[in-house]
Amino acid sequence: MKTYLAEVLGTFLLVFIGTASVVTGGFGGALPLGQEGIGLAFGIGLIAAAYAIGPISGAHLNPAVTLGVFLAGRLPAKDVVPYWIAQIIGAILASLALWIIVSGQVGGHTGGFGANGWDEAKWGVSSAFLWELIGTFTFVTVTLGVTAEKHSTAFAGLVIGLTLAGIHFAMIPVTGTSVNPARSIGPALFTGGAALSQLWLFIVAPLIGGAIAGVVAKARIFEKD
């Protein structure tokens, strides 16, 4: 149970810090952070969670990571669904907390909650899908690589967080960057509209990307003999 509670807390930290940077300090905010600031917020949120609860649960914080870890042979099948449930609960609680905070905003909150989505006038669904698939594959591959038994390092959390930040730098203009179904589900439930209608992509594409990364890791293609 401690393992699953750790995933709830860790995912809460990641999603709350990251999406709060969009809502209160993102584009058009009082103190605009811009693309780089938002990317760093997500990366720092992950780093904080990784070092806080990593020793307890491995700090997956992401259903795509959990799937990749399972397919790489590092997680029992019985833990996959409970991890997913814990991560989704953590993300929903983070979005709920943010909703409570901004509901008291003078004049009322009129923006979203850091939900993912793509502008169909600029990007086709295939482009958004490939961005999320490749971005997640990259992220999960790095995660599995720096946490492999042969490559394990005390700086793993830092490397993974900076990788997430870098992926945000590249992908924010297209999809807002998910690479994490839980991170997308929480904000979409409170934003509604297009965020909900497009949510399927931010579940399916990251899971496929994570699965491919897990299969590649299982094959040990990038490991030294």
Side-chain angles (χ1 to χ4, degrees):
M1 181 59 71
K2 287 184 179 179
T3 297
Y4 306 139
L5 289 176
E7 283 294 302
V8 172
L9 174 60
T11 309
F12 176 93
L13 291 174
L14 169 64
V15 176
F16 183 78
I17 293 173
T19 57
S21 74
V22 179
V23 173
T24 63
F27 304 108
L31 296 171
L33 295 176
Q35 183 173 324
E36 294 79 9
I38 293 170
L40 284 173
F42 275 98
I44 292 169
L46 189 149
I47 292 170
Y51 285 106
I53 59 98
I56 303 172
S57 69
H60 295 187
L61 321 178
N62 180 339
V65 170
T66 296
L67 182 59
V69 173
F70 164 66
L71 292 175
R74 304 185 198 172
L75 185 74
K78 66 180 179 62
D79 285 333
V80 174
V81 172
Y83 262 69
W84 285 355
I85 293 172
Q87 292 153 2
I88 292 170
I89 290 173
I92 292 174
L93 289 176
S95 294
L96 173 62
L98 191 57
W99 177 81
I100 292 172
I101 291 169
V102 301
S103 65
Q105 182 178 342
V106 176
H109 178 67
T110 58
F113 291 89
N116 294 113
W118 69 93
D119 184 348
E120 294 179 348
K122 294 182 179 180
W123 301 96
V125 63
S126 60
S127 295
F129 194 96
L130 281 173
W131 267 112
E132 287 293 328
L133 189 155
I134 294 170
T136 309
F137 169 78
T138 301
F139 177 67
V140 178
T141 295
V142 170
T143 300
L144 293 173
V146 299
T147 57
E149 186 175 352
K150 291 183 178 180
H151 305 158
S152 183
T153 168
F155 296 105
L158 181 62
V159 172
I160 296 168
L162 290 176
T163 299
L164 183 62
I167 290 171
H168 274 77
F169 298 161
M171 291 176 55
I172 281 177
V174 183
T175 63
T177 312
S178 172
V179 301
N180 182 341
R183 173 260 181 272
S184 296
I185 290 171
L189 293 178
F190 289 86
T191 302
L196 276 178
S197 66
Q198 295 181 346
L199 179 60
W200 68 270
L201 184 145
F202 300 106
I203 296 174
V204 176
L207 287 177
I208 293 175
I212 296 172
V215 171
V216 169
K218 180 70 171 179
R220 298 183 177 178
I221 294 174
F222 301 120
E223 287 191 24
K224 295 177 69 175
D225 296 328

